Amino acid sequence: MNRRYVQRERARTTARTSSAIESAALREVARRGYAKLRVSEVARRAHVAPRTVYLHAPTKERLVDAALRGRAEGLIGRIERWRPRGESADSVLGELIAMHEREYRAESVLLETLVDGALPRDVAALLRELDGVRLAIITRTINDLGRRGGLRVRPSDAIALAHALLSYPTWRTALTGPGRRRAPRLIYSALRSALL
């Protein structure tokens, strides 16, 4: 066999194993909480030996930090790169809400785990970083609408309202409460009628 081929296959296997361990750790933390997390359960869920988990991360804190940080950084990167495609204020607002819904649904396990609050302080800081990025995107988007004359209220008032309706607790309540699938449409209607 070709030496490069063997090296590539080892790298792929290592990457798959790391991904499986991090996904299993994230699911176990979400399911049991940080305090009750057991490396043996992470290993079982990832289909690896406990020793493999310890080689990946020598402590429970590092294991959880790696799992959450990897997912959070991916989410942060996607949110930071987001730009609306539409030109009208109506379509930009709709795209902003759709992006928040999509990212919440894709990363609900991550977000629920970060909000739980029973994580080590360094790990819990990821939620503040993520919130900062989300609020910056909302602020940038609303300010752009204001510069284009698309708002009927002051940009600062529009930003405050958008932050309130698109904040994580509001989203969580809206998407899991009585509104469920209708929640993004309801929030869009409320923002549209108040801002545009």
Side-chain angles (χ1 to χ4, degrees), residues 76-138:
I76 287 168
R78 288 192 308 272
I79 292 172
E80 286 177 331
R81 288 187 301 275
W82 180 82
R83 298 289 186 274
R85 294 182 196 153
E87 291 295 319
S88 72
D90 193 42
S91 67
V92 168
L93 188 59
E95 288 179 50
L96 179 66
I97 291 168
M99 182 270 293
H100 277 82
E101 178 187 16
R102 185 175 54 249
E103 296 303 342
Y104 172 81
R105 291 196 190 281
E107 295 295 348
S108 61
V109 172
L110 166 70
L111 294 166
E112 294 295 324
T113 302
L114 288 172
V115 168
D116 180 36
L119 298 169
R121 182 172 288 169
D122 292 348
V123 178
L126 287 171
L127 184 60
R128 284 190 303 278
E129 185 179 344
L130 180 57
D131 280 345
V133 170
R134 289 178 70 245
L135 295 177
I137 293 300
I138 293 167

Side-chain angles (χ1 to χ4, degrees), residues 11-33:
R12 285 183 187 139
T13 300
T14 300
R16 279 193 301 268
T17 300
S18 289
S19 178
I21 290 170
E22 288 176 4
S23 291
L26 185 59
R27 294 219 179 275
E28 283 298 307
V29 168
R31 185 169 166 249
R32 298 176 184 269

